[in-house]
Amino acid sequence: MLTLPKRPRLLPWVLIIYLFWCASATAQQLHTFSNGEVADANKINQNFQALMEPQLGYLDADNPYKRVKIDCSLNSSALAEQWNALAIYDRLEIEITGECVMTSVVIQSRSVRFTGAYGPSYAECASDGTSALRLERSLEVTAGSLFLQCLELRGSSSIGINLYANAYARLDDGFIVADGISLNSRVRNNSTLRAFVPLDLGTIRVEYGSVVQMYGIGLFDELIPINIESLFLNGDGNFICFACGGGDIGGLSLRSSSNFLLQLPQQGQTLNIGQALIAEGSALIAEEPTDPACTPSIQIGNSIVEDSSILKTNASNFTTMDTANADCAPYEPAPIGEIYIGGDYRDWFSLGFDSATSEQYCTSPSTCPSIDFSQVVDEITGASVLEINHIGTAFSQFGFGNSGYYDFSQYQNGSLQFDIKLITAGDQHAGFRLKAFCNCDMDAIELGAVGSNGWQTVSVPVADMTAIGLELTTVRVPFVIWPVFDQQGTVFRIDNVQWLAP
């Protein structure tokens, strides 16, 4: 048996997709960028991890959410009438039907999820009917957390999402803001706001050790532009955008050791900043495409940079780069080359997919309540292998993934091969299924009761996978496996996961 994947490097694109709540064994320290220091992904990621650590406690699998359904289709005040009674729950998920009207929502020292109806899986929004939350003023969270998914926010011309004192908010798939509403936000005192959806934002203030994270692309999403009228960072405020999809920021102000950290894919996207003030030891640091044929990824109208502050990108001087060529070449999936998952050519991340959490993908089992995965030493072979343990009742999967789309065409006539060993199984265990994730819709391969009699090598012809929907030019997660039925209590090990060319 060969060694399974090492703990992965934090690559520029990968954080947007996979590093949701990746816990660290020891506390991280913020890196202070010195004047003129070049953007470095590891240092940016170090800051990202340090800022996220105060929020990790809000995702506790041992303290599940109380789930209730509120139907406002006939009585728009149904949620407001029950709100005080629901205050007894520290962790509350409210599924809304129709339009629920409230003056404002105040959440203190507890976690609340507002969602519309889900679709076939816990990670999809239902397409039938509209779920909406109408507010006169704002959503405010103090020392608690807020999740918004599969829901439309309606109300007056201006609504705020305000976070105070170690608060957390996540704007997830299916969350939209009604036309004509300016969504503003104040994020203060070690709080975090994360957005995975396209938004047109008004004024955003990030202050006193807080962070706002905007995501420009998801695991299966198109690029998402980021549009903000005014962005103010003050007192160690941080704005982080991984795999940015471009967009417009009217005005940007960085003061008192604040950071604007940006990573853009090589896809010709441009982030336009109307004017920027970078002062009092603050930094704007960007990692952008290095293809000289591309239009610069960041364009700033007017900028003032104090001597103690930083304006830096990977380009030697992005403010004077030639912009005659207005377009980048169309994005093409990168050829992966010879791939061995866990080998030296490329780091592939271990991933959990868990329907029991709003965090759809996790690289750390601590954020997946239904599945655990870790390296162990096999008693028979003495090799380091990966053990997957389905500890919860919710549907979950294990896989390997990486950033971007990759072209696996060279394996058209090859095979996907791996070793598997079943350790324990439930009474209704019916074998395993396998698939790969791509920009497509692939059905599952039925593997049967493999590994039941000890280590077994399984080889799946790639032609069998393409026959049921796999698009080889857009592979993103090349290996996903899960037990069929009765998952809880199933423990198995895998090793030597390889795509083999003919």
Side-chain angles (χ1 to χ4, degrees), residues 30 47-55 192 209-211 238 240:
L30 283 173
N47 284 359
F48 169 78
Q49 180 63 36
L51 290 164
M52 293 308 295
E53 282 179 348
Q55 313 304 333
T192 301
S210 296
V211 58
N238 295 269
I240 303 174

Side-chain angles (χ1 to χ4, degrees), residues 1-6 340-343 375 383-386 494-497:
M1 299 293 165
L2 297 178
T3 303
L4 274 150
K6 300 172 291 185
Y340 167 65
I341 296 176
Q375 284 189 314
S384 177
V385 299
L386 196 66
I494 60 172
D495 195 13
N496 297 338
V497 182

Side-chain angles (χ1 to χ4, degrees), residues 38-58:
V38 71
D40 180 274
N42 289 329
K43 293 169 184 174
I44 292 175
N45 297 334
Q46 175 182 324
N47 284 359
F48 169 78
Q49 180 63 36
L51 290 164
M52 293 308 295
E53 282 179 348
Q55 313 304 333
L56 295 174
Y58 290 120

Side-chain angles (χ1 to χ4, degrees), residues 165-329:
N166 296 297
Y168 170 74
R170 173 172 170 138
L171 312 181
D172 218 327
D173 293 339
F175 172 74
I176 60 174
V177 179
D179 292 340
I181 293 180
S182 175
L183 182 61
N184 306 304
S185 184
R186 172 164 283 185
V187 186
R188 307 187 71 186
N189 300 107
N190 301 310
S191 296
T192 301
L193 173 65
R194 307 170 77 207
F196 296 82
V197 291
L199 293 170
D200 291 329
L201 301 170
T203 299
I204 308 297
R205 293 182 177 273
V206 190
E207 302 172 298
Y208 312 125
S210 296
V211 58
V212 169
Q213 298 166 267
M214 306 293 288
Y215 289 83
I217 190 171
L219 192 59
F220 307 108
D221 297 331
E222 298 298 324
L223 289 172
I224 298 173
I226 293 170
N227 298 309
I228 304 173
E229 291 181 9
S230 300
L231 176 59
F232 297 90
L233 307 180
N234 182 51
D236 295 304
N238 295 269
F239 181 95
I240 303 174
C241 184
F242 291 108
C244 255
D248 296 281
I249 298 177
L252 173 63
S253 176
L254 308 180
R255 290 185 176 275
S256 301
S257 303
S258 295
N259 297 293
F260 184 99
L261 308 176
L262 185 71
Q263 292 177 320
L264 293 116
Q266 298 188 22
Q267 296 183 321
Q269 303 303 310
T270 299
L271 178 67
N272 299 299
I273 301 175
Q275 56 185 4
L277 170 64
I278 308 171
E280 301 166 358
S282 298
L284 188 160
I285 298 176
E287 294 189 358
E288 61 179 353
T290 56
D291 184 350
C294 290
T295 301
S297 297
I298 305 174
Q299 294 183 346
I300 299 178
N302 300 312
S303 63
I304 299 175
V305 184
E306 288 189 350
D307 290 342
S308 61
S309 300
I310 304 169
L311 174 58
K312 190 73 174 180
T313 74
N314 283 354
S316 58
N317 186 354
F318 80 92
T319 59
T320 60
M321 286 179 64
D322 180 16
T323 61
N325 187 341
D327 298 310
C328 284

Side-chain angles (χ1 to χ4, degrees), residues 369-417:
S370 305
I371 187 171
D372 185 28
F373 45 93
S374 59
Q375 284 189 314
V376 300
V377 175
D378 187 71
E379 300 85 354
I380 304 300
T381 65
S384 177
V385 299
L386 196 66
E387 183 171 282
I388 297 94
N389 184 357
H390 289 265
I391 56 179
T393 57
F395 176 74
S396 56
Q397 302 166 305
F398 172 81
F400 292 110
N402 206 334
S403 60
Y405 296 108
Y406 294 94
D407 189 345
F408 277 49
S409 297
Q410 63 183 320
Y411 304 108
Q412 172 65 58
N413 298 315
S415 62
L416 169 57
Q417 181 175 294

